[in-house]
Amino acid sequence: MISRAFDQDNILLSKFIHACSFLGFKDYAYSVFTHKTEPDIYLYNTMIKALSQTDAAKDAVNLYNRIQVMGFRPDTYSFPFVLKAITSLSALEVGREIHGQVTRIGLGSDVHVLTGLIQMYSGCRAIADARQLFDGMCHRDVVSWNAMVAGYAKIGAVDNARALFEVMPERNVISWTAMIAGYAQMNRPNEAISIFRRMQLADVEPDEIAMLAVLSACAHLGALELGEWIHNYIDKCGLYKIVPLNNALIDMYAKGGNIDKALKVFESMKHRSVITWTTMIAGLALHGLGTEALEMFSRMERAKVKPNDVTFIAILSACSHVGLVDLGCRYFDIMSSRYGITPKVEHYGCMVDLLGRAGHLQEAQDFVKKMPFKANGAIWGALLASSRIHGNMELGELALRHLIEVEPHNSGNYTLLSNIYAALGKWDNVGQMRKLMRDRGVKKIPGGSSIEIDGTVHEFIVGDKSHLKYKRIYEILFEINGQLKIAGYVPKVYGGILNLDEG
């Protein structure tokens, strides 16, 4: 280009800079830009866009400021690009200044620019400002609607997002995906799947993000039939080479109870990321296959894939399931010695759980005392659970005292200690726990389960009679219970806190 003087063509040079940044050569793209003696606004916009899409958001804002110093007038492309950089920096006040410039320049009614401002305010969690701007728009396109719906969904206000979604004049795949991802993110998998079903009926083809979100919902609910449909769809569309989708499939199958299919997906992958290995290890540990999980980690090391901190959470969990205390301690040590990973509170929690489950209660307590930071609810919860397993009332009381401080309304903690008392026949203490919960206004969260039949997920809560066939369901349960008694099964009843309204 230089030898033929094509580097003087700003449009051609802009395309070259875009290609460089797209391929990951941001620094080279910037050096080409700086060697241009007379860049125009088009070239500036291209460079700002390139920088805003990398970790150089500050440089994008600085370059935008140079536009005005050089005497150029920002246009409808300049603002959305710099606003994206501001969003990644969470620089709300700078964003407000840009908003003022938009108004002064006379672009306050430009849909493209206003949508960028909505995305900026939403991304900086100033959702009220975003909504005010949205409501004041004279004309809105589907991108504007999507920006507002996605803004609500990202901060967890999915009900507000849903209200807007239902009145959208038109929807595209991004609209549906924003709602599915929003529900999945807020652990409302039923709604996520319901929206996905509606998306199918509307003949809208899901994109990669929609499939990742709905697979997460399927994993949460154990909706294997829908997960398998998505798996088939991925294969049919030739998307089986996309690593994140395969990772999501492994997670869905593992959490849905089909570890064999999870392994099949894993073994079929030609390229695996650290997330792939970690998800498979965690899945094996979840199924109690601790030995297989540790073998998988050995394979990961042989493949020269460097584990991350999440990998070691899965590994320590696997050791806990198998009861391999010495091996768990060794893995905890090599985290920092071999891989330079500083243990987090989650890793300490895994170690406390490992030691406690194996009956090393004093070592578990000593481990908590030596921690470089204050123990959280998960740490004390692990100790409380261990004290229940081994019937150690003193440790259970100690753990609960700390848990009441950090998680005063978690009914599960009170229930665990109550079960320890009941197992030891200390019914007065059980009554005291019941009274303590009542005095503190703690409500016991009822247990629940779900099952998928013919593509529909049915949820059941303890004592719930809302299902249309609940009478038949209870009849079957009583029959099963009778057969268990005949077979000689005796349940281990702790006599814990079942209902605070009981006498």
Side-chain angles (χ1 to χ4, degrees):
M1 286 172 66
I2 292 170
S3 65
R4 295 173 180 270
F6 288 153
D7 62 319
Q8 300 306 308
D9 185 327
N10 281 342
I11 293 177
L12 188 58
L13 197 62
S14 176
K15 290 182 178 179
F16 181 76
I17 288 172
H18 172 74
C20 288
S21 61
F22 180 79
L23 293 169
F25 304 112
K26 176 201 67 178
D27 293 337
Y28 183 67
Y30 190 69
S31 70
V32 171
F33 171 81
T34 54
H35 279 84
K36 185 72 173 73
T37 52
E38 295 181 3
D40 59 10
I41 188 65
Y42 184 71
L43 206 55
Y44 267 105
N45 287 342
T46 303
M47 197 65 242
I48 292 169
K49 180 183 179 182
L51 293 171
S52 70
Q53 292 175 332
T54 66
D55 56 357
K58 261 187 185 174
D59 295 330
V61 176
N62 291 334
L63 195 59
Y64 167 81
N65 291 330
R66 273 178 55 191
I67 289 179
Q68 296 169 89
V69 173
M70 298 300 293
F72 292 112
R73 182 176 181 270
D75 60 16
T76 54
Y77 293 98
S78 312
F79 288 113
F81 296 154
V82 74
L83 286 168
K84 185 173 183 179
I86 288 167
T87 302
S88 66
L89 293 169
S90 296
L92 179 59
E93 292 310 311
V94 179
R96 292 191 195 282
E97 291 176 21
I98 299 288
H99 190 176
Q101 291 176 18
V102 168
T103 306
R104 288 193 295 273
I105 289 174
L107 294 174
S109 59
D110 186 282
V111 176
H112 194 51
V113 175
L114 288 177
T115 300
L117 283 166
I118 290 169
Q119 291 169 330
M120 182 276 295
Y121 280 123
S122 300
C124 293
R125 302 190 74 81
I127 199 69
D129 293 315
R131 184 58 190 264
Q132 185 178 1
L133 200 60
F134 177 81
D135 289 339
M137 291 176 71
C138 298
H139 303 287
R140 307 183 190 105
D141 59 12
V142 68
V143 183
S144 311
W145 283 89
N146 286 344
M148 196 66 244
V149 169
Y152 275 128
K154 283 176 183 175
I155 66 163
V158 284
D159 293 328
N160 298 80
R162 180 68 175 267
L164 268 184
F165 175 81
E166 296 297 351
V167 296
M168 287 181 72
E170 66 170 307
R171 304 184 186 106
N172 60 15
V173 64
I174 296 171
S175 321
W176 294 95
T177 301
M179 284 308 310
I180 295 166
Y183 278 128
Q185 174 187 304
M186 293 305 295
N187 289 324
R188 292 168 64 173
N190 268 328
E191 287 102 326
I193 289 173
S194 175
I195 292 290
F196 184 77
R197 296 283 194 201
R198 282 178 58 187
M199 182 182 181
Q200 290 177 291
L201 293 172
D203 288 328
V204 178
E205 289 193 7
D207 60 9
E208 180 185 338
I209 300 170
M211 286 187 284
L212 285 170
V214 80
L215 281 171
S216 170
C218 291
H220 188 89
L221 276 178
L224 276 175
E225 287 183 34
L226 178 57
E228 286 173 342
W229 182 91
I230 295 170
H231 190 176
N232 292 332
Y233 181 86
I234 289 169
D235 289 342
K236 186 176 74 173
C237 295
L239 304 174
Y240 50 85
K241 292 183 180 179
I242 298 176
V243 173
L245 283 177
N246 282 305
N247 295 344
L249 284 170
I250 293 169
D251 185 56
M252 183 273 298
Y253 279 126
K255 289 178 178 174
N258 196 331
I259 194 67
D260 291 333
K261 277 207 170 181
L263 279 164
K264 190 175 180 181
V265 173
F266 176 85
E267 298 297 353
S268 70
M269 294 174 68
K270 291 184 178 179
H271 302 284
R272 304 183 184 108
S273 66
V274 62
I275 297 172
T276 312
W277 289 95
T278 300
T279 305
M280 194 65 252
I281 292 166
L284 290 165
L286 180 68
H287 282 255
L289 302 170
T291 305
E292 290 82 351
L294 298 178
E295 287 173 359
M296 186 64 70
F297 181 66
S298 297
R299 278 181 63 186
M300 180 181 181
E301 288 187 306
R302 290 196 296 273
K304 301 194 184 307
V305 177
K306 185 180 178 181
N308 59 22
D309 57 331
V310 183
T311 311
F312 278 99
I313 292 173
I315 285 297
L316 294 174
S317 175
C319 290
S320 184
H321 280 293
V322 185
L324 297 172
V325 176
D326 292 340
L327 192 57
C329 292
R330 176 174 162 269
Y331 280 126
F332 185 81
D333 290 337
I334 68 169
M335 272 181 66
S336 51
S337 62
R338 185 184 300 176
Y339 294 105
I341 300 170
T342 303
K344 297 180 180 177
V345 67
E346 293 86 356
H347 300 101
Y348 281 91
C350 287
M351 286 301 298
V352 171
D353 182 63
L354 169 64
L355 293 167
R357 278 175 184 259
H360 303 288
L361 300 182
Q362 188 58 52
E363 288 181 52
Q365 285 180 264
D366 293 340
F367 202 84
V368 172
K369 291 175 185 175
K370 293 175 184 176
M371 282 170 49
F373 28 63
K374 189 176 179 180
N376 62 8
I379 301 287
W380 292 114
L383 274 179
L384 181 56
S386 298
S387 66
R388 176 199 165 185
I389 293 169
H390 299 286
N392 190 316
M393 187 175 67
E394 290 181 7
L395 178 58
E397 289 175 335
L398 171 69
L400 184 65
R401 280 199 297 272
H402 287 281
L403 279 167
I404 287 174
E405 290 180 19
V406 294
E407 296 176 354
H409 298 290
N410 186 339
S411 63
N413 299 326
Y414 299 87
T415 303
L416 276 173
L417 185 56
S418 175
N419 288 341
I420 295 170
Y421 288 140
L424 296 172
K426 296 184 177 292
W427 301 108
D428 289 343
N429 298 79
V430 172
Q432 288 171 12
M433 279 291 99
R434 194 184 295 263
K435 185 178 183 300
L436 182 61
M437 286 182 72
R438 188 183 294 112
D439 292 344
R440 290 175 173 267
V442 179
K443 297 288 185 183
K444 186 176 184 298
I445 300 170
S449 61
S450 63
I451 186 171
E452 184 186 26
I453 301 171
D454 295 331
T456 301
V457 176
H458 301 266
E459 282 192 297
F460 301 97
I461 308 296
V462 171
D464 182 24
K465 296 183 179 180
S466 60
H467 196 278
L468 292 173
K469 297 184 178 180
Y470 83 90
K471 288 185 178 179
R472 182 59 182 148
I473 292 168
Y474 276 97
E475 286 174 7
I476 295 293
L477 288 173
F478 282 125
E479 286 177 22
I480 292 171
N481 194 39
Q483 291 173 21
L484 284 168
K485 287 181 179 178
I486 293 169
Y489 172 75
V490 179
K492 189 175 182 180
V493 179
Y494 290 99
I497 302 167
L498 299 176
N499 188 344
L500 287 179
D501 295 326
E502 293 173 358

PDB file of all heavy atoms in Angstrom, residues 404 407-412 414 432-445 497 500-501:
ATOM      1  N   ILE A 404     -24.988 -17.464  62.255  1.00  0.00           N
ATOM      2  CA  ILE A 404     -26.073 -16.536  62.569  1.00  0.00           C
ATOM      3  C   ILE A 404     -25.631 -15.090  62.338  1.00  0.00           C
ATOM      4  O   ILE A 404     -26.421 -14.239  61.945  1.00  0.00           O
ATOM      5  CB  ILE A 404     -26.564 -16.743  64.022  1.00  0.00           C
ATOM      6  CG1 ILE A 404     -27.360 -18.054  64.115  1.00  0.00           C
ATOM      7  CG2 ILE A 404     -27.428 -15.587  64.499  1.00  0.00           C
ATOM      8  CD1 ILE A 404     -27.766 -18.441  65.520  1.00  0.00           C
ATOM      9  N   GLU A 407     -25.106 -15.168  58.158  1.00  0.00           N
ATOM     10  CA  GLU A 407     -26.309 -15.574  57.407  1.00  0.00           C
ATOM     11  C   GLU A 407     -27.484 -15.761  58.375  1.00  0.00           C
ATOM     12  O   GLU A 407     -27.951 -16.877  58.598  1.00  0.00           O
ATOM     13  CB  GLU A 407     -26.054 -16.893  56.666  1.00  0.00           C
ATOM     14  CG  GLU A 407     -24.978 -16.821  55.602  1.00  0.00           C
ATOM     15  CD  GLU A 407     -24.705 -18.184  54.956  1.00  0.00           C
ATOM     16  OE1 GLU A 407     -25.266 -19.197  55.413  1.00  0.00           O
ATOM     17  OE2 GLU A 407     -23.927 -18.217  53.993  1.00  0.00           O
ATOM     18  N   PRO A 408     -27.959 -14.662  58.966  1.00  0.00           N
ATOM     19  CA  PRO A 408     -28.980 -14.777  60.025  1.00  0.00           C
ATOM     20  C   PRO A 408     -30.313 -15.356  59.573  1.00  0.00           C
ATOM     21  O   PRO A 408     -31.085 -15.834  60.392  1.00  0.00           O
ATOM     22  CB  PRO A 408     -29.140 -13.334  60.513  1.00  0.00           C
ATOM     23  CG  PRO A 408     -28.667 -12.484  59.377  1.00  0.00           C
ATOM     24  CD  PRO A 408     -27.582 -13.265  58.716  1.00  0.00           C
ATOM     25  N   HIS A 409     -30.592 -15.323  58.262  1.00  0.00           N
ATOM     26  CA  HIS A 409     -31.897 -15.780  57.784  1.00  0.00           C
ATOM     27  C   HIS A 409     -31.826 -17.061  56.951  1.00  0.00           C
ATOM     28  O   HIS A 409     -32.777 -17.404  56.256  1.00  0.00           O
ATOM     29  CB  HIS A 409     -32.575 -14.667  56.978  1.00  0.00           C
ATOM     30  CG  HIS A 409     -32.845 -13.436  57.799  1.00  0.00           C
ATOM     31  ND1 HIS A 409     -33.784 -13.401  58.798  1.00  0.00           N
ATOM     32  CD2 HIS A 409     -32.257 -12.207  57.770  1.00  0.00           C
ATOM     33  CE1 HIS A 409     -33.791 -12.194  59.352  1.00  0.00           C
ATOM     34  NE2 HIS A 409     -32.869 -11.455  58.756  1.00  0.00           N
ATOM     35  N   ASN A 410     -30.699 -17.751  57.019  1.00  0.00           N
ATOM     36  CA  ASN A 410     -30.556 -19.018  56.286  1.00  0.00           C
ATOM     37  C   ASN A 410     -31.110 -20.156  57.147  1.00  0.00           C
ATOM     38  O   ASN A 410     -30.479 -20.589  58.113  1.00  0.00           O
ATOM     39  CB  ASN A 410     -29.086 -19.267  55.942  1.00  0.00           C
ATOM     40  CG  ASN A 410     -28.894 -20.486  55.064  1.00  0.00           C
ATOM     41  OD1 ASN A 410     -29.746 -21.375  55.008  1.00  0.00           O
ATOM     42  ND2 ASN A 410     -27.774 -20.538  54.369  1.00  0.00           N
ATOM     43  N   SER A 411     -32.295 -20.640  56.789  1.00  0.00           N
ATOM     44  CA  SER A 411     -32.964 -21.651  57.602  1.00  0.00           C
ATOM     45  C   SER A 411     -32.201 -22.969  57.639  1.00  0.00           C
ATOM     46  O   SER A 411     -32.288 -23.728  58.611  1.00  0.00           O
ATOM     47  CB  SER A 411     -34.376 -21.908  57.065  1.00  0.00           C
ATOM     48  OG  SER A 411     -34.323 -22.432  55.742  1.00  0.00           O
ATOM     49  N   GLY A 412     -31.433 -23.255  56.595  1.00  0.00           N
ATOM     50  CA  GLY A 412     -30.706 -24.519  56.530  1.00  0.00           C
ATOM     51  C   GLY A 412     -29.716 -24.693  57.671  1.00  0.00           C
ATOM     52  O   GLY A 412     -29.503 -25.811  58.154  1.00  0.00           O
ATOM     53  N   TYR A 414     -29.953 -23.523  60.823  1.00  0.00           N
ATOM     54  CA  TYR A 414     -30.691 -23.899  62.035  1.00  0.00           C
ATOM     55  C   TYR A 414     -31.133 -25.368  61.948  1.00  0.00           C
ATOM     56  O   TYR A 414     -31.103 -26.096  62.940  1.00  0.00           O
ATOM     57  CB  TYR A 414     -31.923 -23.003  62.201  1.00  0.00           C
ATOM     58  CG  TYR A 414     -31.619 -21.533  62.357  1.00  0.00           C
ATOM     59  CD1 TYR A 414     -31.473 -20.707  61.251  1.00  0.00           C
ATOM     60  CD2 TYR A 414     -31.498 -20.955  63.623  1.00  0.00           C
ATOM     61  CE1 TYR A 414     -31.208 -19.356  61.388  1.00  0.00           C
ATOM     62  CE2 TYR A 414     -31.233 -19.597  63.770  1.00  0.00           C
ATOM     63  CZ  TYR A 414     -31.086 -18.792  62.658  1.00  0.00           C
ATOM     64  OH  TYR A 414     -30.830 -17.471  62.794  1.00  0.00           O
ATOM     65  N   GLN A 432     -35.569 -25.300  71.391  1.00  0.00           N
ATOM     66  CA  GLN A 432     -34.925 -23.983  71.467  1.00  0.00           C
ATOM     67  C   GLN A 432     -34.578 -23.465  70.068  1.00  0.00           C
ATOM     68  O   GLN A 432     -34.712 -22.264  69.783  1.00  0.00           O
ATOM     69  CB  GLN A 432     -33.667 -24.079  72.323  1.00  0.00           C
ATOM     70  CG  GLN A 432     -33.942 -24.251  73.805  1.00  0.00           C
ATOM     71  CD  GLN A 432     -32.684 -24.560  74.599  1.00  0.00           C
ATOM     72  OE1 GLN A 432     -31.562 -24.438  74.081  1.00  0.00           O
ATOM     73  NE2 GLN A 432     -32.850 -24.955  75.860  1.00  0.00           N
ATOM     74  N   MET A 433     -34.120 -24.384  69.206  1.00  0.00           N
ATOM     75  CA  MET A 433     -33.829 -23.986  67.826  1.00  0.00           C
ATOM     76  C   MET A 433     -35.093 -23.496  67.124  1.00  0.00           C
ATOM     77  O   MET A 433     -35.092 -22.503  66.408  1.00  0.00           O
ATOM     78  CB  MET A 433     -33.244 -25.173  67.044  1.00  0.00           C
ATOM     79  CG  MET A 433     -31.773 -25.430  67.258  1.00  0.00           C
ATOM     80  SD  MET A 433     -30.728 -24.140  66.549  1.00  0.00           S
ATOM     81  CE  MET A 433     -30.379 -23.180  68.009  1.00  0.00           C
ATOM     82  N   ARG A 434     -36.177 -24.229  67.354  1.00  0.00           N
ATOM     83  CA  ARG A 434     -37.455 -23.874  66.762  1.00  0.00           C
ATOM     84  C   ARG A 434     -37.889 -22.469  67.223  1.00  0.00           C
ATOM     85  O   ARG A 434     -38.329 -21.641  66.433  1.00  0.00           O
ATOM     86  CB  ARG A 434     -38.495 -24.927  67.176  1.00  0.00           C
ATOM     87  CG  ARG A 434     -39.795 -24.915  66.400  1.00  0.00           C
ATOM     88  CD  ARG A 434     -40.732 -25.949  66.991  1.00  0.00           C
ATOM     89  NE  ARG A 434     -40.236 -27.307  66.827  1.00  0.00           N
ATOM     90  CZ  ARG A 434     -40.615 -28.108  65.846  1.00  0.00           C
ATOM     91  NH1 ARG A 434     -41.461 -27.680  64.951  1.00  0.00           N
ATOM     92  NH2 ARG A 434     -40.145 -29.338  65.759  1.00  0.00           N
ATOM     93  N   LYS A 435     -37.721 -22.224  68.531  1.00  0.00           N
ATOM     94  CA  LYS A 435     -38.096 -20.915  69.093  1.00  0.00           C
ATOM     95  C   LYS A 435     -37.187 -19.814  68.556  1.00  0.00           C
ATOM     96  O   LYS A 435     -37.640 -18.704  68.235  1.00  0.00           O
ATOM     97  CB  LYS A 435     -38.004 -20.972  70.616  1.00  0.00           C
ATOM     98  CG  LYS A 435     -38.483 -19.686  71.310  1.00  0.00           C
ATOM     99  CD  LYS A 435     -38.420 -19.829  72.830  1.00  0.00           C
ATOM    100  CE  LYS A 435     -38.963 -18.574  73.502  1.00  0.00           C
ATOM    101  NZ  LYS A 435     -38.212 -17.360  73.148  1.00  0.00           N
ATOM    102  N   LEU A 436     -35.889 -20.111  68.453  1.00  0.00           N
ATOM    103  CA  LEU A 436     -34.938 -19.121  67.938  1.00  0.00           C
ATOM    104  C   LEU A 436     -35.299 -18.706  66.517  1.00  0.00           C
ATOM    105  O   LEU A 436     -35.256 -17.521  66.171  1.00  0.00           O
ATOM    106  CB  LEU A 436     -33.517 -19.698  67.987  1.00  0.00           C
ATOM    107  CG  LEU A 436     -32.386 -18.771  67.538  1.00  0.00           C
ATOM    108  CD1 LEU A 436     -32.317 -17.540  68.431  1.00  0.00           C
ATOM    109  CD2 LEU A 436     -31.041 -19.518  67.564  1.00  0.00           C
ATOM    110  N   MET A 437     -35.667 -19.688  65.700  1.00  0.00           N
ATOM    111  CA  MET A 437     -36.072 -19.382  64.324  1.00  0.00           C
ATOM    112  C   MET A 437     -37.324 -18.521  64.314  1.00  0.00           C
ATOM    113  O   MET A 437     -37.433 -17.550  63.550  1.00  0.00           O
ATOM    114  CB  MET A 437     -36.325 -20.675  63.534  1.00  0.00           C
ATOM    115  CG  MET A 437     -35.082 -21.434  63.147  1.00  0.00           C
ATOM    116  SD  MET A 437     -35.455 -22.903  62.169  1.00  0.00           S
ATOM    117  CE  MET A 437     -35.939 -22.181  60.617  1.00  0.00           C
ATOM    118  N   ARG A 438     -38.274 -18.872  65.194  1.00  0.00           N
ATOM    119  CA  ARG A 438     -39.533 -18.120  65.229  1.00  0.00           C
ATOM    120  C   ARG A 438     -39.286 -16.687  65.685  1.00  0.00           C
ATOM    121  O   ARG A 438     -39.808 -15.731  65.108  1.00  0.00           O
ATOM    122  CB  ARG A 438     -40.524 -18.816  66.176  1.00  0.00           C
ATOM    123  CG  ARG A 438     -41.926 -18.220  66.124  1.00  0.00           C
ATOM    124  CD  ARG A 438     -42.856 -18.881  67.140  1.00  0.00           C
ATOM    125  NE  ARG A 438     -43.094 -20.277  66.825  1.00  0.00           N
ATOM    126  CZ  ARG A 438     -42.664 -21.309  67.548  1.00  0.00           C
ATOM    127  NH1 ARG A 438     -41.945 -21.095  68.644  1.00  0.00           N
ATOM    128  NH2 ARG A 438     -42.930 -22.547  67.188  1.00  0.00           N
ATOM    129  N   ASP A 439     -38.432 -16.525  66.708  1.00  0.00           N
ATOM    130  CA  ASP A 439     -38.139 -15.188  67.232  1.00  0.00           C
ATOM    131  C   ASP A 439     -37.425 -14.319  66.209  1.00  0.00           C
ATOM    132  O   ASP A 439     -37.624 -13.096  66.168  1.00  0.00           O
ATOM    133  CB  ASP A 439     -37.276 -15.295  68.503  1.00  0.00           C
ATOM    134  CG  ASP A 439     -38.033 -15.916  69.677  1.00  0.00           C
ATOM    135  OD1 ASP A 439     -39.281 -15.981  69.595  1.00  0.00           O
ATOM    136  OD2 ASP A 439     -37.377 -16.341  70.652  1.00  0.00           O
ATOM    137  N   ARG A 440     -36.589 -14.951  65.403  1.00  0.00           N
ATOM    138  CA  ARG A 440     -35.830 -14.190  64.402  1.00  0.00           C
ATOM    139  C   ARG A 440     -36.572 -14.051  63.076  1.00  0.00           C
ATOM    140  O   ARG A 440     -36.060 -13.453  62.135  1.00  0.00           O
ATOM    141  CB  ARG A 440     -34.469 -14.858  64.149  1.00  0.00           C
ATOM    142  CG  ARG A 440     -33.513 -14.733  65.324  1.00  0.00           C
ATOM    143  CD  ARG A 440     -32.236 -15.502  65.080  1.00  0.00           C
ATOM    144  NE  ARG A 440     -31.262 -15.239  66.129  1.00  0.00           N
ATOM    145  CZ  ARG A 440     -30.318 -14.299  66.064  1.00  0.00           C
ATOM    146  NH1 ARG A 440     -30.238 -13.534  64.992  1.00  0.00           N
ATOM    147  NH2 ARG A 440     -29.474 -14.122  67.058  1.00  0.00           N
ATOM    148  N   GLY A 441     -37.766 -14.644  62.992  1.00  0.00           N
ATOM    149  CA  GLY A 441     -38.556 -14.544  61.769  1.00  0.00           C
ATOM    150  C   GLY A 441     -37.985 -15.338  60.618  1.00  0.00           C
ATOM    151  O   GLY A 441     -38.182 -15.000  59.445  1.00  0.00           O
ATOM    152  N   VAL A 442     -37.250 -16.426  60.942  1.00  0.00           N
ATOM    153  CA  VAL A 442     -36.642 -17.253  59.899  1.00  0.00           C
ATOM    154  C   VAL A 442     -37.649 -18.298  59.436  1.00  0.00           C
ATOM    155  O   VAL A 442     -38.188 -19.055  60.253  1.00  0.00           O
ATOM    156  CB  VAL A 442     -35.366 -17.946  60.411  1.00  0.00           C
ATOM    157  CG1 VAL A 442     -34.762 -18.830  59.323  1.00  0.00           C
ATOM    158  CG2 VAL A 442     -34.357 -16.912  60.878  1.00  0.00           C
ATOM    159  N   LYS A 443     -37.914 -18.343  58.155  1.00  0.00           N
ATOM    160  CA  LYS A 443     -38.837 -19.319  57.581  1.00  0.00           C
ATOM    161  C   LYS A 443     -38.048 -20.440  56.918  1.00  0.00           C
ATOM    162  O   LYS A 443     -37.097 -20.178  56.167  1.00  0.00           O
ATOM    163  CB  LYS A 443     -39.743 -18.659  56.525  1.00  0.00           C
ATOM    164  CG  LYS A 443     -40.650 -17.558  57.090  1.00  0.00           C
ATOM    165  CD  LYS A 443     -41.763 -18.135  57.939  1.00  0.00           C
ATOM    166  CE  LYS A 443     -42.722 -17.049  58.392  1.00  0.00           C
ATOM    167  NZ  LYS A 443     -43.777 -17.587  59.274  1.00  0.00           N
ATOM    168  N   LYS A 444     -38.452 -21.671  57.176  1.00  0.00           N
ATOM    169  CA  LYS A 444     -37.779 -22.810  56.540  1.00  0.00           C
ATOM    170  C   LYS A 444     -38.208 -22.911  55.083  1.00  0.00           C
ATOM    171  O   LYS A 444     -39.396 -22.935  54.784  1.00  0.00           O
ATOM    172  CB  LYS A 444     -38.107 -24.116  57.261  1.00  0.00           C
ATOM    173  CG  LYS A 444     -37.314 -25.292  56.706  1.00  0.00           C
ATOM    174  CD  LYS A 444     -37.571 -26.553  57.475  1.00  0.00           C
ATOM    175  CE  LYS A 444     -36.680 -27.686  56.962  1.00  0.00           C
ATOM    176  NZ  LYS A 444     -36.918 -28.032  55.582  1.00  0.00           N
ATOM    177  N   ILE A 445     -37.226 -22.892  54.205  1.00  0.00           N
ATOM    178  CA  ILE A 445     -37.521 -23.017  52.777  1.00  0.00           C
ATOM    179  C   ILE A 445     -37.844 -24.472  52.479  1.00  0.00           C
ATOM    180  O   ILE A 445     -37.027 -25.363  52.758  1.00  0.00           O
ATOM    181  CB  ILE A 445     -36.327 -22.549  51.923  1.00  0.00           C
ATOM    182  CG1 ILE A 445     -36.010 -21.084  52.230  1.00  0.00           C
ATOM    183  CG2 ILE A 445     -36.608 -22.740  50.441  1.00  0.00           C
ATOM    184  CD1 ILE A 445     -34.714 -20.603  51.625  1.00  0.00           C
ATOM    185  N   ILE A 497     -36.346 -29.522  62.149  1.00  0.00           N
ATOM    186  CA  ILE A 497     -37.369 -28.489  62.046  1.00  0.00           C
ATOM    187  C   ILE A 497     -38.112 -28.655  60.752  1.00  0.00           C
ATOM    188  O   ILE A 497     -37.558 -28.470  59.676  1.00  0.00           O
ATOM    189  CB  ILE A 497     -36.720 -27.096  62.103  1.00  0.00           C
ATOM    190  CG1 ILE A 497     -35.933 -26.942  63.404  1.00  0.00           C
ATOM    191  CG2 ILE A 497     -37.750 -26.003  61.991  1.00  0.00           C
ATOM    192  CD1 ILE A 497     -35.021 -25.755  63.423  1.00  0.00           C
ATOM    193  N   LEU A 500     -42.580 -24.455  61.348  1.00  0.00           N
ATOM    194  CA  LEU A 500     -42.596 -23.595  62.520  1.00  0.00           C
ATOM    195  C   LEU A 500     -44.001 -23.389  63.072  1.00  0.00           C
ATOM    196  O   LEU A 500     -44.173 -22.918  64.182  1.00  0.00           O
ATOM    197  CB  LEU A 500     -41.976 -22.231  62.179  1.00  0.00           C
ATOM    198  CG  LEU A 500     -40.471 -22.240  62.002  1.00  0.00           C
ATOM    199  CD1 LEU A 500     -39.979 -20.858  61.639  1.00  0.00           C
ATOM    200  CD2 LEU A 500     -39.776 -22.723  63.251  1.00  0.00           C
ATOM    201  N   ASP A 501     -45.016 -23.737  62.272  1.00  0.00           N
ATOM    202  CA  ASP A 501     -46.378 -23.565  62.746  1.00  0.00           C
ATOM    203  C   ASP A 501     -46.867 -24.751  63.538  1.00  0.00           C
ATOM    204  O   ASP A 501     -47.993 -24.772  64.038  1.00  0.00           O
ATOM    205  CB  ASP A 501     -47.324 -23.334  61.542  1.00  0.00           C
ATOM    206  CG  ASP A 501     -46.983 -22.031  60.845  1.00  0.00           C
ATOM    207  OD1 ASP A 501     -46.577 -21.089  61.550  1.00  0.00           O
ATOM    208  OD2 ASP A 501     -47.130 -21.967  59.616  1.00  0.00           O
TER     209      ASP A 501
END
